[in-house]
Amino acid sequence: MRVPFIDLTAQYNEVKAETDASVAEILSSGAYVLGKYNKKLEEDIAARHGVKHAICVNSGTDALRILMQAADIQPGDEVITTAFTFVATAETVAQLGAVPVFVDIDPATMCIDVNAIEAAITPKTRAILPVHLFGQLCDVKALMALAEKHNLILFEDSAQVIYGHHDGVYTGNWGIGAGISFYVTKNLGAAGDGGMILTNDPEIDRRSRSIRIHGMGRERYYYDELGYTSRLAELQAAILCAKLPKLDEWNENRAKIAAIYLDRLAGSGIRLPETMAGNNHVWHQFTIQYEHRDGLMKHLGEQGIASAIFYPVPLHLHEPYAHYGHGEGSLPITERVSKECLSLPVHQHMTEEQANLVADEILAFVAKAPVAAG
Ligand SMILES: Cc1ncc(COP(=O)(O)O)c(C=O)c1O
């Protein structure tokens, strides 16, 4: 591959000494569970995001599931969300017995269309679950106002955004709480699964800590509610702690690569991702929209350039979500974007030369389209 989608070996090599030392220390000490690295990760990320509480859990999926349970989302509650996201967003709603209600997206940011939400509110609506997609926040101020107006809980699916903020206010502060993912490919990725809940609410903090250990309460082996096995492995916490000091530099490199794409592809006929005013975009993905997407992807692949489709089929068209009643054609922008979206490589170890090569090949393809396009 001339331009891989991500380079995990390069990440490890940059923090090899710290990682190896802490992993060896944990293995030899036997302090495998909820130790000092879990604590440090929680403290460091809470401090940076300016939230009172951060709770390490086993995945971003569990972060959302536990957060919503801790906020008392009940069976039958309706939760307004987006279908243009990773499955965990709606899956966790459904697993709590609640009902995901999908609304369309804004084609410029591909985040939830705040103007579409009000029409979806019913007497059963309890919450809004927007997704900060591809590295930038949704229209958080409008979402907050809407939640307040209708007395709804606002959650943040911040799985794809760490260190992201709007007007200086980081994710985790806009609603009752946010879920972050440390999955391998995230801007801050573990060597496996990991996640975190961010909140300013002491009761959400208390219940989340309990739910992540089977609902265990103040006393060992006494249970207050149903929970899960969802501790973050101490080895993963140590690996994440070793990477955390690099995250600003790594995000800056992503931004540099994104700036090259934005500059080189401007006016090419390709729809480029737009950053909402006030957002700092951490470029988890750089996702373009293009009607000849499949042909372009094939061309890039033939040139040794990786790309990926997030997301090929929106959630409302998958079998487990079909019974919620959003048929084909119900979310026209979501459905169009799913057919046209393509994420280009934008990882922390990409070089400017590689970004220019990607841009060269896209421009070469576009110049020949639609004749050569598929
Ligand atoms: C938008 C979104 N929500 C939730 C998740 C779930 O996170 P995890 O894979 O860590 O369970 C992801 C991760 O891929 C995601 O992208």
Side-chain angles (χ1 to χ4, degrees):
M1 266 290 159
R2 285 200 290 170
V3 188
F5 205 68
I6 189 166
D7 190 343
L8 297 173
T9 308
Q11 277 185 42
Y12 170 58
N13 286 338
E14 249 196 86
V15 293
K16 186 174 181 337
E18 307 87 302
T19 307
D20 290 357
S22 53
V23 165
E25 178 210 328
I26 292 166
L27 290 177
S28 57
S29 73
Y32 298 160
V33 180
L34 297 184
K36 67 179 185 187
Y37 291 102
N38 260 263
K39 190 162 181 289
K40 182 166 171 44
L41 194 66
E42 290 179 348
E43 285 171 357
D44 288 357
I45 294 177
R48 176 59 176 267
H49 276 249
V51 294
K52 293 200 180 96
H53 311 281
I55 306 103
C56 288
V57 291
N58 188 27
S59 67
T61 305
D62 275 4
L64 293 175
R65 197 187 346 249
I66 292 171
L67 170 64
M68 287 190 280
Q69 181 175 332
D72 262 334
I73 292 298
Q74 297 289 330
D77 287 346
E78 292 180 357
V79 178
I80 298 175
T81 190
T82 165
F84 192 62
T85 176
F86 182 64
V87 67
T89 311
E91 183 186 40
T92 49
V93 172
Q95 284 170 336
L96 288 166
V99 178
V101 175
F102 300 115
V103 299
D104 219 340
I105 55 170
D106 170 355
T109 60
M110 297 168 271
C111 288
I112 196 166
D113 179 358
V114 180
N115 296 319
I117 292 176
E118 225 155 14
I121 295 174
T122 76
K124 288 187 176 167
T125 308
R126 276 289 306 289
I128 312 173
L129 173 58
V131 178
H132 300 321
L133 198 69
F134 299 149
Q136 74 168 322
L137 280 73
C138 301
D139 190 352
V140 276
K141 284 189 178 153
L143 283 162
M144 223 174 160
L146 205 58
E148 259 170 45
K149 179 176 167 195
H150 294 277
N151 197 22
L152 302 175
I153 302 169
L154 179 61
F155 298 109
E156 297 173 73
D157 183 339
S158 192
Q160 300 184 6
V161 174
I162 183 164
Y163 284 13
H165 55 82
H166 178 80
D167 285 349
V169 180
Y170 285 71
T171 66
N173 290 286
W174 293 97
I176 198 166
I180 285 185
S181 167
F182 301 129
Y183 181 64
V184 177
T185 54
K186 294 296 191 285
N187 291 31
L188 179 67
D193 285 304
M196 180 175 270
I197 296 163
L198 303 178
T199 184
N200 286 309
D201 185 314
E203 186 59 7
I204 297 281
D205 175 54
R206 185 191 67 74
R207 282 186 67 185
S208 298
R209 287 184 193 282
S210 161
I211 297 166
R212 79 173 166 177
I213 315 179
H214 302 286
M216 196 150 78
R218 271 151 277 234
E219 264 190 82
R220 218 167 156 74
Y221 302 123
Y222 286 80
Y223 304 96
D224 295 336
E225 60 184 305
L226 294 179
Y228 306 99
T229 316
S230 191
R231 290 169 285 236
L232 177 67
E234 185 70 353
L235 285 169
Q236 298 294 359
I239 289 166
L240 291 162
C241 282
K243 288 182 175 182
L244 195 59
K246 291 277 175 192
L247 188 55
D248 278 316
E249 187 189 318
W250 286 352
N251 281 348
E252 274 164 32
N253 198 58
R254 288 174 179 272
K256 203 162 70 186
I257 301 303
I260 293 171
Y261 287 151
L262 289 170
D263 177 50
R264 294 282 320 275
L265 301 176
S268 65
I270 298 240
R271 185 165 195 158
L272 299 171
E274 290 177 33
T275 302
M276 221 184 75
N279 271 354
N280 91 310
H281 202 313
V282 297
W283 296 109
H284 175 57
Q285 301 295 347
F286 188 100
T287 304
I288 59 173
Q289 297 169 47
Y290 183 50
E291 58 178 324
H292 304 301
R293 186 265 315 270
D294 293 342
L296 175 60
M297 189 179 193
K298 184 165 173 284
H299 172 75
L300 292 176
E302 285 163 359
Q303 305 308 312
I305 296 168
S307 60
I309 298 172
F310 306 120
Y311 300 90
V313 179
L315 296 186
H316 66 296
L317 302 180
H318 289 272
E319 208 279 324
Y321 305 95
H323 69 281
Y324 295 116
H326 304 266
E328 187 138 21
S330 63
L331 302 173
I333 299 169
T334 299
E335 290 168 32
R336 178 188 61 72
V337 174
S338 294
K339 293 191 181 88
E340 297 187 356
C341 60
L342 188 66
S343 296
L344 307 178
V346 67
H347 62 83
Q348 51 272 65
H349 292 96
M350 233 175 112
T351 63
E352 293 183 17
E353 291 71 29
Q354 286 177 312
N356 277 307
L357 179 70
V358 177
D360 288 344
E361 290 301 338
I362 291 174
L363 293 173
F365 180 84
V366 171
K368 283 189 273 167
V371 182

